[in-house]
Amino acid sequence: MSKKALGPSMVRLLVQAGKAAPTPPVGPALGARGVKSMDFCKEFNARTAHLTPGIPVPTVISVQPDRTFTFVTKTPPTSYFLKKAAGIEQGTGKPGHGVAGTVSLKHVYELAKIKATDDHLKHLPLQSIASTIIGSARTLGIEVVP
C-alpha cells in the first residue's frame, strides 16, 4: 500500500509571464496533484501582468494535501537577461573558445541589482551576485568588458 504525502508537495515550473495556459507544462504538472490548472493560470497571469509578456518566470508552487495551492514567482533567469543584454538568441556552442556577444560591467551590476530582490540572494552582497553573473556569462560565451 502506498502512503499519502502528509506535507505540501512542491512544483517548480518556468512559465512565460502573462501566458500561462492549462497546456503542458502547467496542466500535467498540476493535474497530477489534483489542482485545477485554470485557477493557477488566472492567478499567475494576473500577478505577472506588470511584466513584459513572454518573459520566462521561475515559479515554485506549493500544493497542500487539500488541493489548495500557493505560489512564489522569482526573477527571470540570469541567462535570459544576459542574452537580452548581449543581443543574441543563444550562447556559443563551445564556451571558452568562441565569443557569442559582449556585455559591459555596468550591465552586469544592473542585472545583479535585479537578481538581489530574490529571497534566496538577499543575504549576499552585490559584488558576489555580480561575480556569479560573470560566471554565467562566461558559460554562455558572452565576454564581459569594463
Side-chain angles (χ1 to χ4, degrees):
M1 304 224 2
S2 65
K3 295 182 180 180
K4 292 272 185 178
L6 298 176
S9 64
M10 304 296 265
V11 181
R12 294 173 186 255
L13 296 173
L14 188 65
V15 186
Q16 293 186 353
K19 293 187 176 182
T23 57
V26 177
L30 295 179
R33 289 162 178 80
V35 175
K36 293 181 182 175
S37 57
M38 201 61 217
D39 294 343
F40 166 78
C41 292
K42 286 179 185 176
E43 194 173 335
F44 178 84
N45 290 338
R47 208 183 285 186
T48 59
H50 67 282
L51 297 173
T52 306
I55 293 178
V57 179
T59 308
V60 179
I61 307 162
S62 176
V63 180
Q64 303 299 327
D66 63 350
R67 296 183 181 173
T68 58
F69 66 90
T70 58
F71 66 94
V72 177
T73 58
K74 299 181 180 182
T75 58
T78 304
S79 60
Y80 171 80
F81 284 131
L82 286 169
K83 287 188 260 183
K84 284 289 184 186
I88 58 174
E89 287 292 318
Q90 64 183 28
T92 183
K94 290 185 171 183
H97 297 286
V99 176
T102 59
V103 294
S104 69
L105 205 54
K106 183 179 178 182
H107 283 112
V108 170
Y109 271 94
E110 290 298 320
L111 296 179
K113 287 180 188 175
I114 293 170
K115 294 300 282 183
T117 61
D118 268 352
D119 286 335
H120 66 284
L121 296 175
K122 282 188 177 179
H123 68 282
L124 293 174
L126 200 62
Q127 186 176 358
S128 298
I129 298 170
S131 68
T132 60
I133 291 173
I134 291 171
S136 296
R138 194 172 294 138
T139 61
L140 284 170
I142 296 173
E143 186 179 18
V144 179
V145 293

